[in-house]
Amino acid sequence: MNKVYLLDTNIVSEFSKENPNSNVIEFYEYRKDQCAISSITWQELVYGASRLPEGKRKNTIENFIQNLKQNIEIIPYDTFSAEICGNFTGVCEKKGRTLPYSDSQIAATAISNGMVLVTHNTADFAPIAETNYLKMEDWFEQ
């Protein structure tokens, strides 16, 4: 089955919270077979876990991301995504808008794979959506 939804890091992070947003969990449960994450999101999760002090929370997060790795497809950031990213970051910079680096790569991965980006951070992605074919959903708000 083709993946439809590319989950941003802030969506995936909800899964590890003690009190996650119920809308996010409900939408994910209904669509989990259609969901994937980008290799950039994977990097952000590993980075975040590596920064935590040793202890129970770190162990919980590390177990969570290893379990996630086994249960969700990770879409690579490839040359097509890099080309798309390079083009829209250049266009946005000419307009005076500097884009967050990781967010740009995640958006380019969604665009290059024809996926809907699921994020709670729609404001950071808005300049990309204005000039490209980036479709977004915020499962916190639906």
Side-chain angles (χ1 to χ4, degrees):
M1 170 181 281
N2 285 343
K3 302 302 180 184
V4 176
Y5 301 100
L6 189 70
L7 307 181
D8 192 13
T9 310
N10 57 44
I11 297 297
V12 176
S13 295
E14 282 300 302
F15 306 152
S16 67
K17 291 183 177 178
E18 194 170 310
N19 295 307
N21 180 282
S22 60
N23 285 345
V24 170
I25 301 304
E26 184 178 327
F27 273 95
Y28 176 74
E29 285 299 322
Y30 184 70
R31 297 173 172 92
K32 64 182 164 188
D33 292 337
Q34 300 174 335
C35 295
I37 63 172
S38 72
S39 57
I40 307 308
T41 292
W42 175 250
Q43 175 187 331
E44 289 180 332
L45 293 169
V46 171
Y47 171 70
S50 73
R51 295 182 61 222
L52 292 172
E54 295 301 323
K56 185 179 177 182
R57 173 106 174 110
K58 181 174 184 162
N59 290 339
T60 300
I61 297 298
E62 287 178 337
N63 288 336
F64 163 73
I65 64 174
Q66 288 307 314
N67 185 50
L68 181 70
K69 184 180 181 182
Q70 301 302 317
N71 291 295
I72 198 164
E73 184 175 346
I74 300 174
I75 308 290
Y77 180 74
D78 59 14
T79 55
F80 185 47
S81 300
E83 183 176 339
I84 290 170
C85 187
N87 282 324
F88 70 62
T89 55
V91 168
C92 287
E93 276 190 24
K94 280 199 265 183
K95 294 179 178 181
R97 302 284 310 258
T98 301
L99 304 172
Y101 190 73
S102 293
D103 287 350
S104 298
Q105 291 177 315
I106 292 168
T109 302
I111 294 166
S112 70
N113 288 280
M115 299 173 77
V116 176
L117 177 61
V118 180
T119 184
H120 189 49
N121 192 14
T122 56
D124 279 352
F125 292 101
I128 300 166
E130 291 169 9
T131 60
N132 288 272
Y133 300 103
L134 178 63
K135 297 177 215 149
M136 291 186 287
E137 289 185 10
D138 182 353
W139 290 354
F140 279 78
E141 304 297 327
Q142 298 197 9

